[in-house]
Amino acid sequence: MIKLMFITNNPDLAEYAECCGVARIFIDLEVMGKSERQGHLDTLISQHSLADISMVKSKLKKSQLLVRVNPLHSGTRQEVETAIAGGADLLMLPMFRTVRDVQIFSDYVDGRVGIIPLIETFDAAQSLQSLLKVKGISEIFIGLNDLHLDMKLDFIFETLANGFIEGLVNTIKKAGFNFGFGGIARVGEGVIPGECVLAEHVRLSSSSVILSRTFHRQSTSVKALKSTGGLKQEIEKLRYEEERLKKRDKKKIEDDKLRLKNIVRECVERRKREKSI
């Protein structure tokens, strides 16, 4: 099964998400440069802190705790030390452009926890083969949002529809690493419906995906989250769809791939029209 990741720094929501079948709780410390890159978009910029790590970890029984730190900077070593001391199982490094950045990060971690480089720049993507040789990497994740911005594309899912992500995935799989990419909406929701994105995850043999904010509706309590339709029920729908997608024949797989391309093309064309007005 694809590992589902839930972004929260709320200990109670983290505990509830684990009970609903979430494999990874995701604490997001990244703030450096994010407003400048994404401030014009309808994206959520987390306000999590290092102090959240131990509190969330104390609530978890089996789910892994993933912590995304800031891009490499003068305070990275301290972020790494504090995150590991707080109980992080995995550390994610965002917005790097060189293999050297990942090597420095790996040296800081020193094999104590798994490292997930987040490929979200074109330079990082171009350096993928060399990147995969860095010791300490446990898997790879591809960030569609910043990647499409860095490549000056019009829509977040263009790299998935045009084959760019598949090219990266083939290299990653050949090297024997697990990988994941992007976020996914609830079944039947999202600009690109959740089941349409999930179809590509299944086709490409992805091992992880982030549950988008459609799953939590920006809830700040378990009671509020349950009132949105229930996380457990929505995850069950996603799992049912995942099993259905695994049973497709070749024609259906290609049909679903074409559906994604068509939806993305329509979104790109619409955004270009809006820009020209």
Side-chain angles (χ1 to χ4, degrees):
M1 289 194 301
I2 297 171
K3 292 179 180 177
L4 304 178
M5 302 194 288
F6 188 83
I7 299 177
T8 186
N9 67 335
N10 182 310
D12 293 331
L13 284 177
E15 183 179 37
Y16 177 64
E18 179 183 69
C19 293
C20 292
V22 169
R24 286 179 178 165
I25 301 301
F26 189 142
I27 288 181
D28 186 10
L29 304 178
E30 186 190 3
V31 292
M32 294 177 62
K34 206 161 188 179
S35 292
E36 291 80 358
R37 298 193 312 271
Q38 299 182 16
H40 63 295
L41 300 174
D42 181 27
T43 54
L44 183 64
I45 299 177
S46 299
Q47 300 297 321
H48 299 180
S49 71
L50 285 165
D52 298 326
I53 298 171
S54 60
M55 291 189 292
V56 170
K57 181 65 175 181
S58 69
K59 292 284 189 173
L60 302 181
K61 296 181 175 62
K62 56 183 180 180
S63 295
Q64 291 179 305
L65 181 58
L66 166 64
V67 177
R68 173 162 63 186
V69 298
N70 279 294
L72 195 70
H73 67 293
S74 59
T76 296
R77 185 190 290 273
Q78 186 57 50
E79 284 186 0
V80 166
E81 293 302 322
T82 305
I84 293 175
D89 299 298
L90 297 162
L91 294 181
M92 178 180 280
L93 178 68
M95 289 305 295
F96 64 90
R97 293 187 178 275
T98 69
V99 175
R100 183 173 180 275
D101 286 349
V102 181
Q103 183 62 66
I104 292 171
F105 188 69
S106 178
D107 290 343
Y108 290 162
V109 175
D110 195 25
R112 288 173 291 172
V113 297
I115 293 172
I116 304 179
L118 177 58
I119 297 177
E120 51 185 349
T121 68
F122 184 70
D123 291 337
Q126 292 296 96
S127 304
L128 181 57
Q129 287 190 326
S130 297
L131 169 68
L132 293 170
K133 297 176 183 177
V134 175
K135 291 184 179 180
I137 292 176
S138 57
E139 61 192 84
I140 300 292
F141 202 83
I142 305 169
L144 302 187
N145 199 6
D146 275 309
L147 182 59
H148 100 275
L149 293 174
D150 197 59
M151 293 175 66
K152 296 179 171 54
L153 299 174
D154 292 296
F155 185 52
I156 183 173
F157 285 103
E158 278 189 82
T159 54
L160 184 59
N162 67 16
F164 186 81
I165 297 300
E166 186 164 2
L168 298 180
V169 163
N170 289 338
T171 299
I172 295 168
K173 289 196 291 190
K174 188 175 181 180
F177 286 91
N178 289 330
F179 69 92
F181 59 87
I184 190 169
R186 295 186 184 201
V187 172
E189 295 188 23
V191 178
I192 307 293
E195 63 273 20
C196 194
V197 175
L198 184 61
E200 282 295 273
H201 277 270
V202 173
R203 182 179 74 85
L204 296 171
S205 301
S206 165
S207 64
S208 61
V209 66
I210 298 170
L211 297 177
S212 78
R213 55 183 167 176
T214 68
F215 276 87
H216 57 73
R217 307 282 201 240
Q218 300 187 45
S219 301
T220 58
S221 69
V222 173
K223 182 179 179 181
L225 180 55
K226 287 182 176 179
S227 72
T228 68
L231 182 63
K232 184 175 178 60
Q233 293 91 325
E234 293 302 325
I235 287 177
E236 287 174 353
K237 289 180 186 177
L238 206 62
R239 290 303 187 197
Y240 177 85
E241 191 67 13
E242 182 182 358
E243 291 305 310
R244 184 189 69 79
L245 289 166
K246 288 178 181 178
K247 299 172 183 177
R248 293 173 296 171
D249 58 26
K250 289 184 179 180
K251 183 180 183 305
K252 181 57 177 170
I253 290 172
E254 288 303 310
D255 287 346
D256 287 342
K257 180 180 176 182
L258 181 60
R259 180 192 176 202
L260 176 86
K261 286 186 175 183
N262 288 336
I263 296 174
V264 170
R265 186 185 68 252
E266 290 170 2
C267 289
V268 170
E269 290 174 352
R270 182 171 61 253
R271 296 197 174 193
K272 286 182 177 179
R273 288 195 300 271
E274 291 170 351
K275 284 183 178 180
S276 66
I277 296 175

